[in-house]
Amino acid sequence: AITAMDTGRQEMGHRFPTFLPDDRRFLYLRASYDPEQSGIFVGDIDSAPEKQPLTRVVAALAGPAVFIATPGGAQSQTGRLLFFRANALMLQPFDLKTLQVSGEPRSVAEPVGTFLDRAVFSATSSTLVYTTATGGLDRQLRWYDASDRTTGIDAGTPGPYTDLAISRDGTRAVVGVSELERGSRRSIWMIDFARNTRTRLTFNGGRDRSPIWSSDGKAIIYVNELTETTIARKQASGEGTDEVLFKGDNEGQTPTSISQDGRTLLFTAARAGTRLDVFVLSLDGSHKPAPLIATRLSESQAQLSPDQRWVAYTEQEVGGRPEVFVRPFTRPGAAAVATKWQVSTEGGGFPQWLGGGSQLSYVTGTVEMQRVDVVDVVTASDATTAGQAFRWGPPRPLLPIPKGAGSLFALTHDGKRLLAGIPVESNIAPRPLTVVLNWLSGLNRAQTTAQ
C-alpha cells in the first residue's frame, strides 16, 4: 500500500489517483465520513504510507482531480487543477513546486454528472468530455416468481438502494439507502409491502449497511462504519436504542446469518494473509468473535442451517471462481472438523437454506445470465453428527436473476418469489456526452480581457 487510512479523520477510502507530470507524485481523493474532512491530496509513490503529506489541496466530496498543464509550457511548474465541487467542474491555478492552489476557483462546466463519489469527466489541455447524467443509483424493487420471470411487479417506490433483506414471512424488507448528496452516508430503512410505506430505522453518522433479519422478525442486525466497525442490533419496530454486539477495526465485517434461537451470529471479515474469513459470535456470552472458517482461501456469505448442523458458504481461490460448500458447524471451543463438500460445480455464491433446511439454493451462471439453482438436502434418519456426510440431490433451476439486478436481490424463505432491485434508467436512452474542444482557449481569452 502507498497510503494508509487516518482513523482520526474518519476516513473511509482513498480513491481516484491521477499522476502529476513527474510520474512520481499523484492527486487522489481522501474520502471521509465527515464531509468537512474530505478533499484532494497529493501523494508520492516513493514515500511510505505514514509519510504521505496530509495537507489538503482543495476541499472536495468527489474525485478525480486532474492537473492541466499550461499550454506550450511542458516544463512549467505551474498549471491548473481541475476538480469537482457542488455539481460543477472547477479550475484553479496550481503550483507543482509548492503543491498549492492560488487565486479563486472558477466554474468551467455545470452541471456535471456523478456516480457515488466519482465525477464523470475526462480532460486534457485540448479536450474536455463530461456527462450531465447524475445519480444512476435509483432502483425499483420488483417481485418475480415462476409465473412471471421477466417483467416483475413493482414493490414500493424507487430509491437509491444498496442492500436488501426480506423478512421470513415476506411481508417486509430492509434496505440500505444512500444519501445522493453525501455519498459517504447510508442508513437502514424498513419497507412494509402491505402498507406501501418506507420508514427510516437508523440515524447514525457514517455508513450503515449489510442488514439481516433475526429469525423471529423482531430485530435487524446491521453494520455501522465510522472510525471503527460496529455490529449492532435494532428493533424492527424502531423503538429503543441500538444494542452493540461487536466493535472492532474496519475489516469489512459483514453479518451474514443468525441462528434460529438468536444466540449465534456468523459474520465475514477481511484479515491479512487469509483474505476473507468466517467468524462466529456468541450473542449470549462475552460477545467475543472466534474464527469458524479461516484458511488461505477466501470464505464468505456463510449461512447456518436451521438445525445448526451445517454451514453453507462461498469459497474462492485466488484467481479462481467462487463455489458453494457445506461443512459441519462447530461451536467455539469444540474440535474443528475440516471435512467439506462442494455443492455447486459451475460457479456459485449466495447460498440460502430453504424450507426449514430441506433445500439449499445458490446463485450460479454467468454475469450476463445469473440464476438461482436449488438442491434437495437428504435428511438422515438418525441424529446427524459432525462426522456424518452431508448429502444432497441434483441441482435444478429455480428462478433467473433479472438483468441489471447485480447483487441487489433476495429470495423469500420458501423459495417461491424473488425480490430484485432494477436500475430505474435501464430502459431510458443513454444521455449524451458533452465534448468541448480547445476548452482552455476561451478561458484564457476571458482572463486576458479581465486583466
Side-chain angles (χ1 to χ4, degrees):
I2 299 176
T3 65
M5 300 245 268
D6 185 350
T7 57
R9 299 181 64 258
Q10 301 183 23
E11 290 183 346
M12 63 176 177
H14 298 166
R15 300 167 184 160
F16 315 128
T18 60
F19 272 113
L20 291 171
D22 61 7
D23 288 336
R24 311 304 297 175
R25 296 173 297 176
F26 58 94
L27 301 163
Y28 69 107
L29 174 71
R30 293 182 80 115
S32 170
Y33 291 111
D34 178 2
E36 298 299 323
Q37 301 278 2
S38 290
I40 301 299
F41 289 71
V42 173
D44 189 329
I45 64 173
D46 296 318
S47 297
E50 64 275 10
K51 299 294 185 180
Q52 295 293 348
L54 294 179
T55 302
R56 186 170 64 178
V57 179
V58 293
L61 298 180
V66 179
F67 176 78
I68 304 297
T70 301
Q75 304 301 319
S76 174
Q77 290 296 304
T78 61
R80 299 173 187 179
L81 189 69
L82 184 65
F83 61 97
F84 179 86
R85 179 188 292 169
N87 209 34
L89 284 180
M90 311 296 291
L91 196 65
Q92 191 169 4
F94 180 69
D95 191 311
L96 287 173
K97 186 174 181 179
T98 64
L99 301 178
Q100 294 179 349
V101 293
S102 60
E104 294 296 323
R106 61 181 301 181
S107 173
V108 297
E110 184 177 3
V112 174
T114 59
F115 182 81
L116 294 176
D117 56 357
R118 181 183 181 91
V120 185
F121 75 95
S122 180
T124 66
S125 59
S126 61
T127 306
L128 173 64
V129 183
Y130 65 94
T131 178
T132 58
T134 300
L137 293 177
D138 277 1
R139 291 174 177 262
Q140 174 64 60
L141 297 180
R142 288 181 186 152
W143 285 110
Y144 299 85
D145 58 25
S147 64
D148 183 2
R149 297 169 175 262
T150 56
T151 304
I153 299 175
D154 287 355
T157 57
Y161 305 132
T162 57
D163 298 289
L164 176 61
I166 303 176
S167 63
R168 215 165 263 278
D169 61 6
T171 63
R172 297 169 295 167
V174 283
V175 293
V177 176
S178 289
E179 296 183 18
L180 291 176
E181 71 280 7
R182 297 173 68 181
S184 62
R185 290 289 297 272
R186 284 187 196 171
S187 52
I188 305 298
W189 292 62
M190 174 80 69
I191 297 178
D192 189 312
F193 299 117
R195 298 179 181 178
N196 195 27
T197 58
R198 189 174 73 179
T199 307
R200 185 170 179 173
L201 284 181
T202 64
F203 298 85
N204 302 306
R207 179 178 300 184
D208 296 335
R209 61 168 177 83
S210 308
I212 63 172
W213 287 86
S214 63
S215 58
D216 58 9
K218 295 181 179 180
I220 304 297
I221 290 108
Y222 71 95
V223 170
N224 171 256
E225 291 179 326
L226 196 56
T227 56
E228 57 186 353
T229 295
T230 300
I231 299 179
R233 178 160 44 196
K234 176 80 174 182
Q235 294 302 308
S237 63
E239 300 175 346
T241 58
D242 297 8
E243 177 190 2
V244 175
L245 305 178
F246 168 82
K247 273 195 173 187
D249 295 335
N250 290 323
E251 295 179 327
Q253 289 90 343
T254 301
T256 58
S257 179
I258 188 168
S259 61
Q260 290 278 66
D261 59 14
R263 299 170 59 186
T264 304
L265 176 71
L266 303 185
F267 70 88
T268 301
R271 297 196 302 177
T274 57
R275 305 177 70 202
L276 291 175
D277 292 330
V278 176
F279 291 80
V280 57
L281 182 69
S282 176
L283 301 184
D284 59 357
S286 62
H287 287 200
K288 290 185 177 180
L292 179 65
I293 311 173
T295 72
R296 63 175 182 81
L297 306 176
S298 179
E299 300 98 3
S300 62
Q301 303 172 348
Q303 297 290 314
L304 187 59
S305 65
D307 59 9
Q308 299 186 49
R309 296 174 177 175
W310 312 105
V311 177
Y313 66 99
T314 300
E315 181 177 288
Q316 185 175 14
E317 295 191 35
V318 177
R321 66 184 181 188
E323 299 285 0
V324 170
F325 287 77
V326 170
R327 65 168 62 200
F329 173 64
T330 54
R331 293 188 176 278
V337 178
T339 305
K340 63 182 181 181
W341 298 270
Q342 182 176 334
V343 177
S344 64
T345 58
E346 298 178 351
F350 301 97
Q352 181 176 337
W353 299 97
L354 305 176
S358 62
Q359 295 179 323
L360 178 64
S361 70
Y362 57 89
V363 175
T364 187
T366 64
V367 174
E368 294 78 16
M369 296 185 63
Q370 294 186 101
R371 70 177 187 274
V372 179
D373 278 6
V374 64
V375 298
D376 293 321
V377 176
V378 179
T379 304
S381 58
D382 57 348
T384 303
T385 64
Q388 186 173 345
F390 177 78
R391 295 183 176 87
W392 67 98
R396 61 182 185 277
L398 187 62
L399 287 170
I401 304 294
K403 187 176 181 180
S407 60
L408 192 66
F409 62 85
L411 191 65
T412 56
H413 287 264
D414 59 8
K416 294 182 179 180
R417 295 192 299 166
L418 181 105
L419 184 64
I422 307 302
V424 171
E425 296 183 345
S426 60
N427 295 322
I428 300 177
R431 298 185 185 182
L433 293 173
T434 298
V435 180
V436 184
L437 302 177
N438 300 316
W439 64 285
L440 284 177
S441 60
L443 296 174
N444 292 333
R445 284 194 301 268
Q447 186 175 18
T448 301
T449 301
Q451 292 175 346

